[in-house]
Amino acid sequence: MAARAIRGAGALAAAAALAVAASACSAPGGSSGTKGAKDSAVVGIAYEPDSLSPLLGYGKDGNSKIFDGLLTHDADMKLQPALAAALPKVSADGLTYTYELRDGVKFSDGKPFTAKDVVFTYETILDKKTNNASKTELDALKSVEAKGDGEVVFHLKYPYAPFAERTVLPIAPEHVAGKQDVNTGEFTTKPIGTGPYKLVGWSKGEKLTFTANPDYWGGAPKVKDFTMAIIKDDDIRATRLRSGDLDGAILPPNLAKTFAGDKAKKTYEAKSFDYRVVTLPTGNDVTGDTAIRRALDVAVDRKAMVDSILDGAGKAAYGPVPTDSEWFTKGTERTHDLKKAEQILDDAGWKKGDDGIRTKDGVRASFPLWYLSGDKLRQDHALAYASDAKKAGIEVKVQAGTWEVIEPRMPKDAVLAGGGAPADPDFDQFTMLNSKLAGDGFNNMGHYDNPAVDKALDEGRKTDDKAKRKAAYDTVQRELVKNPGYTFLTHIDHLYVVNDDYPDLTTQVEPHDHGLASGPWWNVEDWQPKK
Amino acid sequence: MARMTGRRALFAVPVLLAVTFGVFAVAAASPFDPVKAYAGTAGLTASQENLDQLRANLGVDQPLATRWWQWLTHALSGDLGDSSVLRQPVSEVIGERLGWSVLLAAVAFTVAILLGTALGVLAARRQGGWLDRGITSLAYTLEAAPPFWLGLLAVWFFALKLGALPAGGLTDTGTTVVSASQVLSHLALPAGVLAISQLPWFVLYVRQGVGDALAEDPVRGARARGLRSRTVLLSHALRSGMLPVLTLIGSRVPELITGALLVETVFSWPGIAAATVEAATSVDFPLLAALTVLATVAVLLGNLLADLLYGLADPRVGFDG
């Protein structure tokens, strides 16, 4: 009797679950609000900017909707002129960059854009009093100089090949931003720029609303009203997308999958440079041993991580450069090979003990691995890593903590870190692998020290010659095989689900940061609504 | 009555001083680093020099007592300082958000009190009857349900299944105008959920209070005099049965604030709650201190209101002093 009742309850629950699932698929979707051509778009994003002032770091990687930089990126992440009339002229010694400015550009308040605004923007960012946490990125810059209204010259401290990539950062109007407190003034929440959209309102924690700038120098956008709803919870974002409240949203793989059967919606997978990596600090007796590092590098099953943790939305990572990038060094892929890992450890004298964990000269092959608490993705990666390592006889003790807890331990303990900047290989690799930057803030967390890599990194940033640069970064990637200071695990795709009211959309290669303008709406100003 | 209010106001001063100092002390002792919080992801690639400069600019390298004293003296002269996490003056942060939170909390509280009293009286009328059992068990169930979960359930049912009410925000996501009708329809779900989460306390207190009162001599006397049971219930029993509820109103204020916090998160309501969470996790001293003062004042006012109402409702109680 009791058993029957329980079975009955089970069937009832199953039926209820089915009903929910079925109704979820048939819930009203993209058709709502489609009257003729759709000239508005509402998208759900997970992150809210702290500030909309470029002087404090907003839009520094380009592609802000409110502002333009001197340069911008196209769909293939190639540099294109924006507020500059053409790509910069670089002097032979690589120390000066000269930009001709585009004529007749106006800020959305009607005032003209001139070289003075460019100088103001860069000088304010470099000012010590400005609370811009990314100013380190402009380290190479010595001074900026305006030549008349239409030309700007940048003088560098040292030749820095990827400098032009840094000039995608948005230009602020001096006549507005220059008249108030740069850190807390009104400009940080009510920005004025030259971009394709004007900010209508920013209801913090709720949404950012934009309206098309009719006088945009690149032509008035077809999508007139653009809204970014800030919804931090993944489930709520998916729910509001399903209810028709949103036209598109970023979603984690498991939730994006639930839209697979919905014909009114399309899923876009944005390739990214966003990697997850385990730091192997040189200050630790175990992780500092090259044999241990090399063994871990082949003991880890990257493909299993991509399949099980990322639901296939990503790929194995062997270095900071993803395998499908032009900067990737073919032949540096490592296959999962437990036997080889054991061989390396045996040869180096790490002997297996009774408990299956190896020891050498009284040192137990065991080290802690920290991940940021609350980050499910990092937790999954850390646990998978520990279980792979265990099979080779290395004990990895996984622990969670906040950055405040983790940071002091970084010289000795391993950390599950993330990063990735697609614009130039220098951006990631110089700060991550240069021995001079070991332990400088969050730079070179593993205290990696390899003279061959240091030399290659310097060559890579000094020369403008693409072939020489490629050779330099090839050296770095090959050195990382011989002496891996980090175990790179995966590169993660970012998933977006968007209503099919718009033509085929594109995505850019995305960085680790989820910027506001990541996703298929990176070029919303160019969208041509379907009739 | 005025004397009591005055004395309470005077008493509030040391309380507020102690609370704000406590906030600074707790925040300073917390493992969170305001500089890391300020820098966000950019801080993960920033150089040490850059981070040190930020620390100096933000003034968080000062000792705890100095920072508190600076904040206090500035606050007394009307300058609440700048929020480091929201990059704008604290007064602006509060000005933009407080109204929406007060609207949400006030509507929810009113609904909870009115509905709670009505249900409580219904339940008390025949204790042990089917209506009483139904209402009481519903109240206990709701008491155990977290507001966050109730919110998700409400979104699923009203926004997704019925499509009757918007799932979040202050206005339709696509619009830019804030109109009364828009706000009302968007207010319905969050205020409803918040009211429901507060409801059980009022139901149970009113039921108990009115039930006890019905058994008291004066009420039984009134019954014996042949007064209609409706009159007895509403003018005799309810009046004395409401007394514990008045105290409850004051003591529910803190719970209302935390409840509103969760509900605002679920419904992307642009109130003060999100700012509170951010201020706390980013160790944003000026914002945190100001919000704590606000919450403390709300609790003190709630208690004062409860005592005043108590005194008015029951002349035997009088005003302390």
Side-chain angles (χ1 to χ4, degrees):
Chain A
M1 178 65 202
R4 245 177 80 188
I6 289 166
R7 223 180 299 135
L12 194 68
L18 265 180
V20 171
S23 64
C25 292
S26 62
S31 56
S32 64
T34 337
K35 296 171 204 111
K38 200 163 155 59
D39 63 355
S40 69
V42 182
V43 300
I45 55 174
Y47 295 84
E48 182 166 35
D50 299 313
S51 158
L52 291 177
S53 168
L55 305 170
L56 296 180
Y58 166 66
K60 68 186 176 65
D61 297 318
N63 205 6
S64 146
K65 292 293 147 228
I66 312 165
F67 296 95
D68 294 301
L70 290 174
L71 303 180
T72 188
H73 290 122
D74 63 12
D76 302 321
M77 291 300 283
K78 293 264 183 299
L79 285 174
Q80 300 293 341
L83 288 181
L87 294 178
K89 289 197 224 33
V90 188
S91 66
D93 58 4
L95 286 173
T96 45
Y97 281 66
T98 309
Y99 291 79
E100 292 294 332
L101 301 187
R102 192 180 289 275
D103 260 347
V105 176
K106 284 189 166 58
F107 285 102
S108 59
D109 63 355
K111 297 267 167 49
F113 153 78
T114 70
K116 265 176 35 206
D117 299 303
V118 180
V119 173
F120 163 76
T121 300
Y122 283 86
E123 282 183 347
T124 310
I125 292 176
L126 289 176
D127 185 355
K128 281 201 182 324
K129 289 273 173 295
T130 304
N131 295 341
N132 182 321
S134 333
K135 71 173 78 179
T136 323
E137 297 186 351
L138 291 177
D139 239 7
L141 184 58
K142 190 166 75 184
S143 62
V144 202
E145 177 191 359
K147 289 212 166 143
D149 276 352
E151 195 177 287
V152 178
V153 184
F154 292 84
H155 299 280
L156 305 193
K157 293 179 199 156
Y158 46 85
Y160 185 52
F163 181 74
E165 288 285 352
R166 294 299 190 205
T167 58
V168 298
L169 77 79
I171 302 300
E174 184 181 18
H175 67 271
V176 181
K179 293 203 176 106
Q180 41 182 280
D181 183 339
V182 59
N183 295 319
T184 53
E186 207 179 39
F187 184 69
T188 63
T189 48
K190 296 185 177 69
I192 288 164
T194 56
Y197 285 89
K198 295 192 276 191
L199 183 77
V200 179
W202 180 10
S203 164
K204 283 202 179 163
E206 189 199 358
K207 66 186 173 188
L208 290 144
T209 40
F210 302 93
T211 181
N213 176 1
D215 305 320
Y216 183 51
W217 56 267
K222 294 273 192 306
V223 172
K224 298 285 176 233
D225 296 300
F226 184 56
T227 306
M228 290 176 167
I230 296 137
I231 308 157
K232 293 196 173 127
D233 189 280
D234 293 333
D235 288 299
I236 295 177
R237 214 175 320 115
T239 302
R240 285 178 59 179
L241 178 62
R242 197 164 277 139
S243 75
D245 188 23
L246 304 176
D247 295 314
I250 180 165
L251 290 175
N254 58 336
L255 284 170
K257 221 163 46 177
T258 61
F259 289 91
D262 189 339
K263 285 200 177 55
K265 292 191 175 59
K266 274 192 183 172
T267 301
Y268 295 89
E269 291 185 12
K271 297 285 166 221
S272 85
F273 268 52
D274 187 4
Y275 56 74
R276 292 295 175 274
V277 69
V278 175
T279 67
L280 300 171
T282 44
N284 182 306
D285 287 343
V286 179
T287 57
D289 184 327
T290 311
I292 294 276
R293 298 162 170 231
R294 286 184 50 220
L296 285 169
D297 211 20
V298 288
V300 57
D301 189 350
R302 299 176 170 89
K303 191 173 175 305
M305 290 187 186
V306 172
D307 292 343
S308 62
I309 301 174
L310 303 179
D311 274 322
K315 51 193 169 293
Y318 306 100
V321 184
T323 46
D324 52 6
S325 161
E326 55 170 334
W327 294 100
F328 182 74
T329 308
K330 294 255 169 4
T332 58
E333 297 94 340
R334 273 84 84 190
T335 40
H336 170 57
D337 190 345
L338 191 57
K339 283 216 179 64
K340 191 173 163 196
E342 306 228 45
Q343 189 65 50
I344 294 170
L345 292 168
D346 286 340
D347 291 350
W350 288 94
K351 297 273 176 299
K352 255 193 185 164
D354 298 337
D355 57 353
I357 306 303
R358 292 165 188 272
T359 48
K360 179 186 176 182
D361 305 332
V363 179
R364 205 171 129 86
S366 165
F367 62 91
L369 169 60
W370 292 86
Y371 71 90
L372 186 63
S373 46
D375 189 328
K376 177 86 169 38
L377 205 56
R378 291 185 192 213
Q379 181 187 2
D380 289 348
H381 275 93
L383 292 172
Y385 186 73
S387 113
D388 286 347
K390 183 115 192 250
K391 289 177 197 146
I394 300 169
E395 182 184 47
V396 177
K397 286 175 285 189
V398 176
Q399 282 169 296
T402 60
W403 284 123
E404 283 82 0
V405 175
I406 299 170
E407 196 191 358
R409 294 176 166 84
M410 287 189 322
K412 289 232 179 252
D413 292 3
V415 179
L416 207 127
D424 194 276
D426 174 79
F427 293 174
D428 263 329
Q429 302 185 21
F430 194 84
T431 51
M432 184 181 199
L433 300 168
N434 191 327
S435 64
K436 284 197 269 318
L437 294 178
D440 174 43
F442 282 84
N443 291 328
N444 196 353
M445 287 164 74
H447 292 240
Y448 189 67
D449 187 354
N450 183 339
V453 168
D454 283 351
K455 188 162 162 280
L457 288 173
D458 271 331
E459 280 164 13
R461 61 167 31 187
K462 280 204 176 104
T463 172
D464 215 6
D465 183 332
K466 184 91 184 257
K468 280 190 190 149
R469 298 198 74 201
K470 175 82 171 97
Y473 294 110
D474 282 348
T475 309
V476 174
Q477 290 172 67
R478 292 210 181 90
E479 283 298 319
L480 279 177
V481 181
K482 285 189 240 161
N483 179 12
Y486 299 80
T487 314
F488 287 88
L489 304 176
T490 56
H491 276 107
I492 293 162
D493 291 346
H494 299 157
L495 297 184
Y496 300 88
V497 180
V498 185
N499 276 350
D500 202 12
D501 292 339
Y502 310 96
D504 275 342
L505 306 178
T506 54
T507 53
Q508 281 180 316
V509 178
E510 296 185 358
H512 172 59
D513 289 338
H514 292 252
L516 276 192
S518 292
W521 39 91
W522 73 274
N523 64 343
V524 62
E525 62 272 22
D526 297 335
W527 287 11
Q528 304 292 331
K530 265 187 189 168
K531 287 285 176 311
Chain B
M1 201 171 156
R3 270 181 56 198
M4 175 164 125
T5 314
R7 216 180 32 254
R8 291 287 186 88
L10 219 60
F11 175 66
V13 174
V15 170
L16 286 173
L17 283 181
V19 166
T20 53
F21 187 77
V23 167
F24 272 77
V26 168
S30 88
F32 295 112
D33 180 359
V35 176
K36 296 252 160 48
Y38 184 91
T41 42
L44 298 180
T45 52
S47 68
Q48 196 58 48
E49 187 196 347
N50 197 181
L51 291 174
D52 292 344
Q53 183 66 47
L54 264 182
R55 190 174 298 279
N57 285 1
L58 294 173
V60 288
D61 49 352
Q62 309 271 332
L64 155 71
T66 321
R67 260 185 297 174
W68 176 68
W69 185 248
Q70 271 176 0
W71 175 83
L72 191 69
T73 44
H74 281 117
L76 288 179
S77 67
D79 173 16
L80 291 175
D82 297 318
S83 158
S84 64
V85 64
L86 295 165
R87 269 68 155 176
Q88 63 187 133
V90 169
S91 49
E92 211 174 293
V93 175
I94 293 175
E96 277 174 6
R97 293 161 175 258
L98 187 63
W100 299 122
S101 284
V102 168
L103 176 71
L104 174 65
V107 170
F109 212 42
T110 315
V111 171
I113 292 175
L114 293 181
L115 196 62
T117 308
L119 287 176
V121 169
L122 277 180
R125 215 167 53 160
R126 238 183 281 301
Q127 294 214 0
W130 62 270
L131 195 61
D132 177 33
R133 285 209 302 270
I135 291 175
T136 320
S137 41
L138 182 73
Y140 280 124
T141 315
L142 286 177
E143 206 179 331
F148 190 79
W149 181 78
L150 283 177
L152 285 178
L153 199 70
V155 170
W156 173 76
F157 187 72
F158 290 102
L160 210 58
K161 296 293 289 178
L162 302 184
L165 288 166
L170 182 64
T171 51
D172 281 349
T173 322
T175 63
T176 51
V177 221
V178 180
S179 67
S181 64
Q182 283 257 326
V183 172
L184 272 183
S185 70
H186 282 75
L187 180 66
L189 275 190
V193 167
L194 191 55
I196 294 285
S197 75
Q198 295 293 316
L199 190 64
W201 307 91
F202 291 104
V203 172
L204 296 173
Y205 265 68
V206 170
R207 174 183 171 274
Q208 192 66 43
V210 173
D212 287 352
L214 279 175
E216 274 171 15
D217 287 343
V219 176
R220 279 164 54 195
R223 269 224 180 106
R225 287 203 309 277
L227 288 174
R228 285 196 309 164
S229 70
R230 191 190 172 85
T231 321
V232 174
L233 185 72
L234 293 182
S235 45
H236 293 78
L238 182 60
R239 184 160 177 172
S240 71
M242 277 302 278
L243 286 178
V245 177
L246 296 180
T247 327
L248 187 67
I249 290 178
S251 66
R252 290 315 294 168
V253 170
E255 187 92 359
L256 184 72
I257 294 173
T258 50
L261 208 136
L262 294 171
V263 169
E264 283 185 11
T265 313
V266 175
F267 292 96
S268 307
W269 188 256
I272 206 87
T276 312
V277 176
E278 276 191 67
T281 54
S282 326
V283 207
D284 185 346
F285 289 97
L287 184 56
L288 201 54
L291 291 176
T292 316
V293 168
L294 265 181
T296 315
V297 168
V299 171
L300 291 176
L301 276 180
N303 284 333
L304 176 66
L305 184 73
D307 290 350
L308 288 179
L309 286 175
Y310 211 101
L312 286 176
D314 189 346
R316 287 172 306 174
V317 177
F319 302 104
D320 60 25

